[in-house]
Amino acid sequence: MKWHEILIRYGEITTKGRNRKLFINRLKENLRYTFADIPNLRIRSERDRMYLSSDVDTEMEELIERLPHIFGIHSFSPVAQCEPTIEAMKELAVEIVKGMDYQGKTFKVNAKRSFKKFPMDTYELQQTLGSHVLGSLPGMTVQMKEPDIELRVEVREKAVYMMVDVIAGAGGLPIGSNGKALLLLSGGIDSPVAAYYMMKRGVRVEAIHFFSPPFTSDQSLGKVKELCEKISRFGGNIRLHVIPFTEIQQKIQSSVPENVTMTSTRRMMMKVADVVRKEIDALAIVTGENLGQVASQTLESLAAINDVTTTPILRPLITFDKLEIIEVAQKIGTYDISIRPFEDCCTVFTPANPKTKPRVEKMNYYESFTDFDEMIERAVKNREIHSFPKKKTDEFLDLL
């Protein structure tokens, strides 16, 4: 099927009143960035809808395949075009419905005449096209309310446009319309899902990962990079800050009691993250923490971790069941990457009997004997920064 354009419906953006134009422009820019590899893309935006088009059929197919993952889009429909004659309209209507699983389904035509001088009125047009489709494709029945297949026809002066599929979008708000936050990305199941939910609310995400060689492997870091590549496909570029954490983590092991090393590790991570957050002008820190899931995620532990910063810490998964998180991870394509058996720095030093109710004053006392600030400054200074999505390169370029 040759599609002329793709009609995008905004959804939540339409509730933004005077700020609507800002959200529409942000969505438009995100689409340009996400589809930078589609050279013939054209974007036309209106108050209540947006249109994408390309003269290349394969590019249109690529757009249709990738659009469901872009935040800020409620739904979209591929649109076909024909000349404004009844014979051309009949032919196109049959071609569109024929490409669907129409046997045994209910059907109706919903026509709109933007060009009022068209010789048929709306009712006549609907009856003529509906009768022709039903006669050409037997097996369907007419149903006016909530049919299985609704062929929408819009008659304009120079062309007629038809659509039938309404494909669900990712919903939410365009990435970047609600500020920027720094995500603690471990490589496990939870943190990529946390990123997904923050991005869905329009937050642009940068990620920070704590790397402790030789205790954590290059495969572990590779997994994190792959997760960044995956979540960047939702319409926003992501920078990954890789923190060399070995020195700090070893000092924690020798400086504080074993049963609170996990809490102290999380506190140092939060301190490092806060320094990076300030440098990149992010407004909050995001984690994939889930209440009661592990010892470091009790209310008492979270309070002890929060004590080291006044920055807002956002935990979008705090009340989720683990099975709910896994289901979302599978849906967004991060689960199979996250479960690869490469340990991160939080799991390699997990104490045998971690304390579930650490006291803030005790944590401050244990850590007061070590100057962590100098090590934190050094770790931040020596970090690596990677950007995603990675630009595609010609694999034969090195041979020239």
Side-chain angles (χ1 to χ4, degrees):
M1 184 69 216
K2 182 176 177 62
W3 301 110
H4 170 73
E5 61 188 11
I6 299 171
L7 182 154
I8 291 176
R9 303 174 186 87
Y10 298 137
E12 188 176 348
I13 292 178
T14 61
T15 68
K16 297 304 177 182
R18 294 180 181 178
N19 293 324
R20 180 187 298 193
K21 187 175 181 179
L22 296 175
F23 286 87
I24 292 173
N25 288 339
R26 172 57 63 182
L27 175 59
K28 191 173 182 178
E29 289 306 308
N30 287 354
L31 288 169
R32 289 194 187 281
Y33 179 86
T34 303
F35 298 125
D37 57 333
I38 298 181
N40 299 290
L41 173 67
R42 294 186 297 274
I43 304 176
R44 175 167 55 90
S45 59
E46 297 179 358
R47 177 176 172 80
D48 295 315
R49 55 184 60 182
M50 187 178 291
Y51 297 90
L52 307 185
S53 61
S54 170
D55 297 327
V56 182
D57 292 347
T58 55
E59 291 186 353
M60 291 294 286
E61 293 170 3
E62 181 76 8
L63 289 169
I64 293 169
E65 181 180 344
R66 290 162 57 181
L67 272 174
H69 305 297
I70 307 299
F71 292 121
I73 297 175
H74 175 68
S75 66
F76 65 93
S77 296
V79 179
Q81 175 189 2
C82 69
E83 295 179 355
T85 66
I86 193 62
E87 290 305 316
M89 293 164 68
K90 286 180 179 180
E91 183 178 345
L92 181 57
V94 170
E95 184 182 357
I96 290 174
V97 178
K98 189 177 181 179
M100 306 182 66
D101 179 19
Y102 64 86
Q103 286 289 340
K105 301 293 178 63
T106 55
F107 172 78
K108 77 175 252 189
V109 175
N110 185 350
K112 175 183 177 182
R113 292 186 311 138
S114 299
F115 179 56
K116 299 302 181 183
K117 294 182 179 180
F118 190 76
M120 286 187 177
D121 63 28
T122 300
Y123 177 77
E124 291 174 322
L125 182 57
Q126 290 176 167
Q127 188 176 46
T128 299
L129 291 179
S131 298
H132 181 73
V133 171
L134 291 169
S136 302
L137 304 172
M140 292 186 292
T141 57
V142 175
Q143 181 171 304
M144 300 310 293
K145 289 186 177 181
E146 299 183 358
D148 298 319
I149 300 173
E150 180 178 356
L151 178 64
R152 303 183 184 189
V153 181
E154 182 174 349
V155 180
R156 304 179 196 172
E157 182 176 2
K158 296 182 179 181
V160 173
Y161 299 90
M162 296 188 189
M163 69 189 82
V164 66
D165 284 329
V166 178
I167 303 170
L173 298 172
I175 294 173
S177 62
N178 239 342
K180 181 167 64 175
L182 181 64
L183 167 77
L184 272 64
L185 184 62
S186 66
I189 298 171
D190 299 340
S191 47
V193 177
Y196 170 81
Y197 278 112
M198 294 307 301
M199 294 167 77
K200 186 172 184 178
R201 297 315 304 159
V203 176
R204 187 172 299 284
V205 169
E206 293 199 23
I208 184 170
H209 177 71
F210 297 89
F211 187 45
S212 296
F215 306 105
T216 54
S217 65
D218 289 339
Q219 292 97 324
S220 173
L221 180 57
K223 181 171 74 167
V224 170
K225 292 178 179 178
E226 202 168 333
L227 287 170
C228 284
E229 184 73 28
K230 180 69 70 171
I231 60 182
S232 71
R233 298 301 178 182
F234 293 111
N237 59 312
I238 291 178
R239 290 200 305 169
L240 171 66
H241 303 260
V242 180
I243 302 293
F245 200 57
T246 307
E247 180 186 19
I248 296 174
Q249 198 155 20
Q250 286 181 315
K251 197 64 178 177
I252 290 170
Q253 299 304 308
S254 63
S255 302
V256 305
E258 182 185 10
N259 63 350
V260 292
T261 54
M262 180 60 70
T263 302
S264 187
T265 298
R266 299 294 294 182
R267 283 161 60 92
M268 292 307 125
M269 287 180 173
M270 205 61 71
K271 284 187 174 184
V272 172
D274 215 14
V275 176
V276 175
R277 177 200 63 78
K278 291 176 184 177
E279 287 190 10
I280 65 173
D281 294 324
L283 301 176
I285 294 171
V286 179
T287 79
E289 290 167 319
N290 174 259
L291 189 60
Q293 184 173 191
V294 295
S296 64
Q297 296 178 21
T298 63
L299 276 180
E300 291 84 358
S301 293
L302 295 178
I305 294 167
N306 286 11
D307 182 64
V308 300
T309 179
T310 57
T311 298
I313 302 174
L314 308 180
R315 297 178 170 99
L317 308 184
I318 195 70
T319 63
F320 279 48
D321 291 339
K322 188 64 177 184
L323 292 178
E324 292 177 312
I325 299 172
I326 290 173
E327 184 178 343
V328 176
Q330 291 171 331
K331 182 183 78 170
I332 66 176
T334 59
Y335 179 76
D336 289 338
I337 303 171
S338 295
I339 62 174
R340 292 175 190 167
F342 306 121
E343 293 183 310
D344 59 49
C345 65
C346 289
T347 55
V348 292
F349 288 109
T350 302
N353 296 294
K355 196 170 184 64
T356 59
K357 296 182 179 181
R359 293 168 58 184
V360 173
E361 59 272 19
K362 285 287 188 181
M363 296 306 305
N364 289 329
Y365 174 75
Y366 297 143
E367 295 165 3
S368 67
F369 297 99
T370 304
D371 184 8
F372 284 104
D373 290 343
E374 184 179 339
M375 287 183 280
I376 289 171
E377 182 180 348
R378 187 159 50 247
V380 171
K381 182 180 179 180
N382 294 330
R383 75 187 187 272
E384 294 180 1
I385 302 176
H386 304 269
S387 297
F388 302 89
K390 291 293 186 184
K391 293 182 179 179
K392 295 181 180 178
T393 57
D394 190 337
E395 60 183 309
F396 299 109
L397 191 60
D398 293 337
L399 300 178
L400 299 179

